[in-house]
Amino acid sequence: MNRFSLNQATTKYWPIPELVAGCVDAGVTQVGLWREETRDYGVEKTAALVREAGLAVTSLCRGGFFQTPDWYDENRRAIDEAAILGAPVLVLVSGGLPPGSRDLDAARAHVTESIGALVPYALAAGVRLAIEPLHPMFCSDRCVVASLGQALDLAAPHPVEAVGVVVDTYHVWWDDQVWAQIERAGRERRIACFQVADWVTPLPEGVLLGRGLPGEGCVELRRFREAVDATGFTGPIEVEVFHADVWARPGREVLDATLAGYWTHVL
């Protein structure tokens, strides 16, 4: 339980005060937060509420989307928000192709340059940038970084304390190179965030909301946890699920189901 973190996305429509109270009541001590919800409630207000409840913030989602014109200022704001919330990690979803472009190499080169531009600001703020590779089906519109190996290559030129990677089971479970890349991430001390979700089929229309609670799909979640543990990573294990059916359920019910899946299929 000391490693479990409830990512706010799993209980998307649970108001922040109820989420905090529910976590405290269930003995959960850590949460991963999202910018949209914290900004709607108030970043400083959220920070105070979480701090007073004794909860630790494990990550803030998300920065990135470097194909947008205002990416630099927006990512600096995201870093500032992470620092206010006490989140040690800002998850970066790098963004897809610019409108009208088919040049994947150029898009990836721009991600490389963008991360480099943000490193000094992140270091000064004490926030670690965590590059998240997404499943290749999201490459065109959401994330041109499509494997853990690519994410590690992007992180490699930068200080370990400034840039790491996210291991998200939903996005990397398919990759036959993932076990070797997890070992590499451990050697290079690059694992900044470990997120758990299952893969359920058939995928819903739009595919984004195809995540399941632990044990509902086909991913070897315990094998991932053991592989990440074997690197020496002892940080939080966030459960992060996007699914309309999950979001339609009461927040406390989802939290209880998440904990049950975590205990049975992750630990």
Side-chain angles (χ1 to χ4, degrees):
M1 194 66 152
N2 65 327
R3 294 181 68 189
F4 174 82
S5 176
L6 176 67
N7 189 284
Q8 189 175 19
T10 307
T11 55
K12 183 174 177 63
Y13 300 117
W14 208 10
I16 287 178
E18 295 179 26
L19 180 149
V20 169
C23 284
V24 171
D25 185 60
V28 172
T29 60
Q30 302 180 106
V31 291
L33 297 177
W34 276 70
R35 294 186 68 205
E36 292 86 349
E37 285 75 14
T38 56
R39 292 173 82 173
D40 287 347
Y41 186 71
V43 176
E44 290 85 359
K45 191 176 174 183
T46 301
L49 182 66
V50 170
R51 184 171 57 251
E52 289 165 6
L55 299 180
V57 179
T58 53
S59 72
L60 179 66
C61 290
R62 64 192 178 224
F65 284 88
F66 298 120
Q67 83 277 25
T68 59
D70 63 342
W71 68 266
Y72 183 68
D73 290 338
E74 186 59 30
N75 276 275
R76 283 164 58 103
R77 283 190 287 271
I79 292 167
D80 290 341
E81 291 166 16
I84 292 168
L85 291 164
V89 169
L90 174 66
V91 174
L92 299 181
V93 176
S94 299
L97 293 169
S101 173
R102 294 183 175 87
D103 194 339
L104 188 56
D105 291 340
R108 286 175 172 155
H110 177 61
V111 170
T112 301
E113 295 166 1
S114 301
I115 291 170
L118 291 171
V119 163
Y121 196 81
L123 278 171
V127 174
R128 194 179 191 191
L129 304 175
I131 304 166
E132 180 171 18
L134 266 58
H135 190 281
M137 66 181 173
F138 296 112
C139 200
S140 67
D141 62 340
R142 303 189 74 82
C143 190
V144 296
V145 181
S147 72
L148 187 56
Q150 289 176 352
L152 287 166
D153 289 345
L154 285 169
H158 306 294
V160 167
E161 64 272 21
V163 184
V165 299
V166 180
V167 178
D168 185 325
T169 61
Y170 177 78
H171 290 300
V172 301
W173 73 274
W174 59 274
D175 187 355
D176 64 350
Q177 299 300 310
V178 72
W179 310 113
Q181 294 302 327
I182 288 174
E183 290 180 8
R184 173 189 169 191
R187 290 195 306 272
E188 297 176 4
R189 297 182 294 125
R190 292 290 179 178
I191 300 177
C193 186
F194 178 36
Q195 295 182 332
V196 170
D198 224 327
W199 178 284
V200 293
T201 48
L203 293 174
E205 183 178 358
V207 305
L208 183 63
L209 307 187
R211 296 176 177 233
L213 295 174
E216 293 183 343
C218 61
V219 181
E220 292 182 286
L221 298 175
R222 186 177 295 107
R223 184 181 179 188
F224 270 97
R225 194 267 304 159
E226 290 171 347
V228 169
D229 283 359
T231 69
F233 178 81
T234 58
I237 303 172
E238 291 188 6
V239 178
E240 182 191 57
V241 173
F242 309 158
H243 200 289
D245 291 345
V246 174
W247 291 346
R249 296 162 62 184
R252 181 54 193 264
E253 179 182 309
V254 173
L255 175 55
D256 290 343
T258 301
L259 284 167
Y262 171 79
W263 285 112
T264 303
H265 298 284
V266 179
L267 294 189

